[in-house]
Amino acid sequence: MPRIKVSVIVPVYNTGKYVDECAPSLLGQSLSADEYEVIYVDDGSTDDTPARLEKIATAHPNVQLHTRPNSGWPGAPRNHGMRHAKGEYIQFVDHDDTLGPEALERLYEHAKRNDADVVIGKMSSTMVRPRRLFRHTVDACTIENDELMQSMSPHKMFRRGFVEEHGLQFPEGPWILEDLLFVSAAYLKAERISILADYPCYYWMKRDDGGNNTQHRFNPRHGFWANARTIVRQIKDGTTPSDDIDALQNRLLHRLYHVEVLSRTREPEILREDPAEQRQRFEAARELAVEEFPAAVRDGLPAVSRLRAEFLERGDFDGAFALAERVRAVKARSQVGGARWEDGSLVADVTLDLLRGDGEPLVVVERDGKWWLDPELLDGVPGTEDGWEVTDPFRMAYGELVVKDRDREDWWYPEGDLQVRLKSLGEGRSQVVASGQLRLDPERLAGGRPLERGVHDVWAYVQLLGVERMLRVSGDGEPGAPAAGPALSGGRLALPYWTVKGQLALDMGERQRRLGPDTDVLVAANPERARRSLGLPYLAATDGPPFPVEVTVATAKVEAKLLPGPDGTARLRLPASLRKLPDGRHPVTLPKAENPVAYAVVRDGALLRLEGPAYEAGAGRRFLDVVGDNRQVRRARGRMGK
């Protein structure tokens, strides 16, 4: 009997219809059903959830259903599931989330290959912004990689022997931050942690009823502040104290300080909540900050965050409130130029910066050999009359570009990094900017695979001087117009364009955009790839008159043109109207030639596109694409026993 590779543990409570939405992704995994088990633990549901689960368990032998009295939190049911798990690895899934179809197989193989104690799979989410932790797949690291602290949810794969050896358990009952306690303990104990970033493993999506938002976060019954203190002490107990702002302990504590403590002092929370309630939170956060966090954590913050920490720790709520009002008005701006196709990639020059609420650049000012935070930003903020020194303009500063699959909520990172630099504006004023190149390769961006058919939006994340912003990358192009010429990439049309709001997007496979009838230049996204796959490569025409030629499309004779390419090759141009031909895909042959040089795709009497001869007529996909389909290859290997 095959051993159980993975136990999937799913705590449930009054989940209702979301059980049925989650279940198919758990039951349709590429792992064989006898290689993994799904353990549902019902925490005393009072709706029809138990009946829905019973139906699933009855129909699937690899599904277990356990029931227990209500505990009010997912910790107890997760522990219950771990006690009954037989898998070599444990994967936690929440009842309203889903897995990618190959998630368990890929995570397990990555874990075994690297002998990992913990494997963090790429998450796609509408709940949080994309994390740079998932920029690259990592075979093995330890807690020294402090970027691990960007991912503190329990939705990971843990080696069961490792969990049992160290007695890792979730706190039970209403215990907010229970995931941070468990995951930070695992990170501190793990000898090898792996990251799988080239496949979307876990989909953490906001429910339409808001049911998976953390509610009553500061309910005293849930002990938020006491629990945060417990987690801080756990990290301090597992690391060595140091006055160095870049020491491991201080880097790990930064996440807790920034997210759980300092957020009480910044927008939108301090401006949104009832002032009386927010003052109570502010005071509780101040107490925790002063008593538990080393000074080096605060000293290592970038300028604006360090000023917030100063207001917090001296108990100046009014100063923090005024600063939050000013920072709330700060906007991020992107500047895009020279969008073009280059070596298979959509390339553009991108610069990101920050603007104050009045539309002027957010600057640092040089005075007496030191840098000072923009005095216009601080105008009217009590306690900053003498200015605020920027000890390091580049502290924790970075900018990055990300591409979002609009249909699937997947985020991908294009090649290259943006560089942070100071841009002089004269008179001792400089702006911190992030600049570089967008290089978007449609054939490799999705974890080394081609992008799916659909619209892919270009976003940016920037953190400068302690101000964080997520923004769509926009340019000066005419809204709705092409951003660069159309290209053939992997046998599909790639159409870069500006949205109606002037934002950069790429349509793969004519999901929303269409190649216009007046478009007669198709650029090969990568000429070398085109030459290998097409008998007649698609290239932009160089100077020179077109050469008229009669071709046969299906059985119809058509007047076409050959245009010279830059290296002695040629490009075929067909007329936009092919009214004599029915809808479909028709071979195109040159005079006295037997084999097609291309295939014409026709709809409603109009030429939609030309496809190269690597396609088989009517097949719909290239042979190489089929070979490259990882899931099909895996199934074939499994049938052959290889």
Side-chain angles (χ1 to χ4, degrees), residues 70-125:
N70 180 255
S71 67
W73 220 256
R78 286 182 185 136
N79 291 339
H80 184 100
M82 285 194 287
R83 289 193 292 270
H84 290 83
K86 300 182 181 66
E88 188 177 353
Y89 280 82
I90 293 169
Q91 171 72 44
F92 294 109
V93 176
D94 282 351
H95 56 199
D96 40 18
D97 300 331
T98 58
L99 296 179
E102 298 175 26
L104 297 183
E105 181 180 4
R106 288 175 178 265
L107 288 166
Y108 177 80
E109 289 181 355
H110 197 55
K112 293 295 290 183
R113 183 166 54 250
N114 297 295
D115 193 25
D117 296 320
V118 182
V119 185
I120 307 170
K122 178 181 175 68
M123 296 185 71
S124 292
S125 177

Side-chain angles (χ1 to χ4, degrees), residues 534-575:
L534 303 177
L536 201 65
Y538 295 91
L539 296 169
T542 57
D543 293 336
F547 178 76
V549 62
E550 183 181 80
V551 299
T552 301
V553 183
T555 58
K557 300 293 185 180
V558 174
E559 291 293 329
K561 294 179 180 179
L562 287 176
L563 288 84
D567 55 359
T569 60
R571 183 175 59 81
L572 180 68
R573 181 196 296 170
L574 294 183

Side-chain angles (χ1 to χ4, degrees), residues 415-492:
E415 297 176 9
D417 294 304
L418 300 182
Q419 302 299 316
V420 178
R421 58 185 174 85
L422 278 176
K423 175 184 176 182
S424 176
L425 301 181
E427 299 179 344
R429 300 163 65 252
S430 295
Q431 189 179 22
V432 185
V433 302
S435 61
Q437 272 194 345
L438 165 72
R439 299 195 68 85
L440 193 167
D441 184 345
E443 294 191 50
R444 294 193 173 97
L445 182 60
R449 301 177 299 279
L451 289 174
E452 297 278 358
R453 179 175 183 264
V455 176
H456 304 269
D457 298 311
V458 182
W459 287 73
Y461 175 79
V462 64
Q463 179 173 285
L464 303 174
L465 298 172
V467 179
E468 309 167 45
R469 294 292 184 265
M470 189 88 185
L471 69 154
R472 285 289 302 275
V473 171
S474 303
D476 296 329
E478 180 182 349
L488 189 73
S489 179
R492 297 174 300 167

